[in-house]
Amino acid sequence: MSETETYYEFGTAADRWDRAQMFFDAKEYLTAARILGGLVEEVPEQVAPRLLLARSYYHSARLGKAEEELRRILELDPVEAYAHLMMGRTLERQGRSADAAPHLRMAEVLTGDFGPGGDRS
């Protein structure tokens, strides 16, 4: 084991996924992100590890990194409603409301949640 590696990063992909979720649930977002970074490198086409990585970045206020991951997710799956919602929230948190608005609208459309008084016709 090198100085930069920890036991968190060892084991099968399933072990590391479980470990990352455990750290995320414990609000240890930086540790979760470290584990998930390796998983994302191994399986770049899978959305779930990227989405949890983006959430880890968001919750640890690494908003630029969250935005990068969310853009990759939306390239892989343009109708991933939660990614649109997270992108909107991430952009809002960066003070970019105008950039956030289309993502928030897309999330509403994809989930059918038009808010109070929204048109559902």
Side-chain angles (χ1 to χ4, degrees), residues 23-71:
F23 279 104
F24 183 88
D25 291 343
K27 298 181 181 354
E28 294 287 338
Y29 303 118
L30 294 176
T31 303
R34 185 171 182 174
I35 297 165
L36 290 161
L39 282 173
V40 164
E41 285 179 19
E42 288 177 37
V43 287
E45 71 286 353
Q46 287 190 4
V47 170
R50 281 192 185 279
L51 195 52
L52 192 57
L53 178 57
R55 291 176 65 200
S56 297
Y57 286 147
Y58 177 87
H59 287 295
S60 60
R62 298 169 75 187
L63 301 177
K65 289 192 158 288
E67 182 180 348
E68 286 175 30
E69 285 305 319
L70 291 164
R71 290 197 187 284

Side-chain angles (χ1 to χ4, degrees), residues 113-120:
D113 181 12
F114 297 99
D119 182 24
R120 294 178 188 243

Side-chain angles (χ1 to χ4, degrees), residues 74-89:
L74 292 171
E75 287 171 10
L76 292 168
D77 187 355
V79 294
E80 170 53 60
Y82 192 68
H84 279 287
L85 176 63
M86 278 199 61
M87 179 65 87
R89 298 288 183 241

